[in-house]
Amino acid sequence: MGLTPIWHLRESAPDAEQAPAADMPARNESRVTSHESPQPATGDRRAEIMSLEWAQLKQRVAGCRDCPLHAKRNKAVFGVGDENADWLFVGEGPGADEDAQGEPFVGQAGRLLDNMLAAIKLKRGDNVYIANCVKCRPPGNRNPEPGELLACEPYLHRQIDLIRPKLIVALGKVAAANLLATDASVASMRGKIHQYRGTPLIVTYHPAYLLRTLPDKAKAWADLCFAVRTMQELSKA
Ligand code: URA
Ligand code: SF4
């Protein structure tokens, strides 16, 4: 199978478990510890970010120096898509291509994500918004550190408040673990409706992981089918 397989939506998703919704607590507010320069107290900073409208928020992220990731980034990667989308896909953080272009999921994993979207008749920018947990690239594609995730979280939180998506799809372990404040495996989080600050959230594998682990693509299929069914239910409600 090539790097850009065409995905087709199947009628049914045989191995998508339909476990009952598990209400997860929202993350606790806690302190950002990784600032290099004096910053307002965490609560003040969050409140300030939560007051921003789109244009100001984009500007704030573009110039943000609130965690160590700012030092080596080329471009902060704000997020892209329909600002009134029903669907929000959240990855971990920018890689090299994203850092160069300033747009999320534009490398190989991004092509697979676009194919995954196409398989459920969605496309980037049309009822879909794509964002990451951290807006600046972790050097060498390492995982973002807890302090970096924490520092960047108010931006995603504000994006979600502005977009008001019906459903969030967390892509991969880092995004899911961060949003749900848990250390659980993707395998254990799949097939359930979680909540992120009151918005339904489902978990699937990261496209970069799927590129390395082809056998799990069938599971990602099932997750996409589950996501579509969940969206149908949410749209009825
Ligand atoms: N991986 C991610 O998690 N996000 C991107 O934007 C690109 C690759
Ligand atoms: Fe700011 Fe987030 Fe970039 Fe850190 S990762 S510098 S908090 S935009």
Side-chain angles (χ1 to χ4, degrees), residues 51-61:
S51 74
L52 301 177
E53 297 302 325
W54 279 115
Q56 303 163 304
L57 188 65
K58 288 173 192 171
Q59 217 174 15
R60 177 82 162 76
V61 168

Side-chain angles (χ1 to χ4, degrees), residues 45 61 64-70 73 76 134-136 148 151-152 155:
R45 175 176 175 270
V61 168
C64 181
R65 296 164 58 92
D66 292 355
C67 90
L69 292 181
H70 83 270
R73 74 169 175 233
V134 293
K135 311 307 190 196
C136 303
E148 297 159 353
C152 216
Y155 295 129

Side-chain angles (χ1 to χ4, degrees), residues 77 90-95 98 103-107 109-110 130-132 171 206-208:
V77 178
V90 180
E92 165 181 340
E98 292 77 21
E103 182 169 331
F105 285 101
V106 291
I130 303 173
N132 281 307
L171 298 166
H206 193 288

Side-chain angles (χ1 to χ4, degrees), residues 35-113:
H35 294 312
E36 290 190 331
S37 53
Q39 295 289 330
T42 304
D44 293 352
R45 175 176 175 270
R46 174 178 284 278
E48 179 247 316
I49 291 169
M50 295 308 292
S51 74
L52 301 177
E53 297 302 325
W54 279 115
Q56 303 163 304
L57 188 65
K58 288 173 192 171
Q59 217 174 15
R60 177 82 162 76
V61 168
C64 181
R65 296 164 58 92
D66 292 355
C67 90
L69 292 181
H70 83 270
K72 296 206 168 139
R73 74 169 175 233
N74 177 38
K75 289 184 180 165
V77 178
F78 180 76
V80 71
D82 182 343
E83 292 173 358
N84 298 305
D86 288 337
W87 293 85
L88 172 64
F89 289 79
V90 180
E92 165 181 340
D97 296 304
E98 292 77 21
D99 177 67
Q101 295 181 43
E103 182 169 331
F105 285 101
V106 291
Q108 266 184 24
R111 283 194 287 280
L112 180 53
L113 178 60

Side-chain angles (χ1 to χ4, degrees), residues 175-198:
N178 180 48
L179 294 173
L180 298 176
T182 169
D183 198 32
S185 65
V186 171
S188 71
M189 287 185 276
R190 299 174 52 239
K192 297 175 185 159
I193 303 172
H194 307 267
Q195 302 280 326
Y196 174 76
R197 296 181 183 273

Side-chain angles (χ1 to χ4, degrees), residues 1-2 5 7 10 15 112 190 204-223:
M1 196 174 299
W7 284 34
R10 290 188 301 212
D15 54 348
L112 180 53
R190 299 174 52 239
T204 189
Y205 294 102
H206 193 288
Y209 166 85
L210 293 173
L211 289 170
R212 298 190 301 268
T213 319
L214 294 179
D216 277 347
K217 278 179 125 183
K219 295 181 190 161
W221 270 118
D223 295 339

